[in-house]
Amino acid sequence: IISSEKDIRQLKKESYIEANDNTFLGKLTPNKFDGESIFNTFGQYGSKFSQISIFNKFSDYGNQFSQLSPFNKFSTTPPKVYLNVEFFAYLTVNTMINPRIDPENLLEWAENNVSKF
């Protein structure tokens, strides 16, 4: 029995980002046409206007002062990156946290590590 979206992601072995408050922040597929990809600038997870996008500088997930944002260099609670549903690293500019992926290098990392489909 599938009881949640997280269960579905696990069955599909998806790669995605999840905030420390357990909010789904988008799939890491480099397919820019996928509606759930953070690299789809028109989708809810990739738009700089969406409240659940790390690219919205005014949202809790993109603000450089928010503890939930990968762009807060002092945050100890940045988003987590899951590769094929397994925790892989934290998404953060905070160099004191490891393992980590710098959000500025996320697209390149996804292109090298995540399937487009």
Side-chain angles (χ1 to χ4, degrees):
I1 297 174
I2 298 172
S3 59
S4 71
E5 288 184 30
K6 193 167 189 169
D7 291 340
I8 294 170
R9 282 192 288 283
Q10 288 179 339
L11 284 173
K12 292 181 178 181
K13 297 212 178 269
E14 290 182 345
S15 299
Y16 58 94
I17 300 172
E18 186 175 84
N20 193 60
D21 66 0
N22 297 319
T23 299
F24 177 72
L25 296 177
K27 291 175 15 184
L28 285 170
T29 175
N31 178 352
K32 294 177 183 179
F33 298 104
D34 185 320
E36 292 189 329
S37 173
I38 68 161
F39 304 114
N40 180 340
T41 57
F42 299 104
Q44 65 180 335
Y45 303 107
S47 170
K48 64 182 179 179
F49 303 108
S50 173
Q51 289 302 308
I52 53 174
S53 172
I54 65 168
F55 302 114
N56 180 343
K57 294 179 181 183
F58 302 102
S59 76
D60 288 340
Y61 307 108
N63 184 318
Q64 67 178 341
F65 302 108
S66 171
Q67 286 295 312
L68 297 172
S69 172
F71 300 103
N72 179 338
K73 61 185 175 182
F74 302 109
S75 176
T76 57
T77 56
K80 295 177 184 175
V81 172
Y82 290 87
L83 180 62
N84 302 321
V85 299
E86 298 293 328
F87 171 75
F88 184 80
Y90 293 95
L91 183 64
T92 184
V93 294
N94 184 344
T95 58
M96 301 302 288
I97 294 179
N98 285 300
R100 81 178 183 98
I101 298 170
D102 188 308
E104 300 298 327
N105 301 324
L106 188 58
L107 178 58
E108 179 182 347
W109 180 87
E111 288 175 337
N112 291 324
N113 294 282
V114 179
S115 169
K116 287 188 178 185
F117 302 101

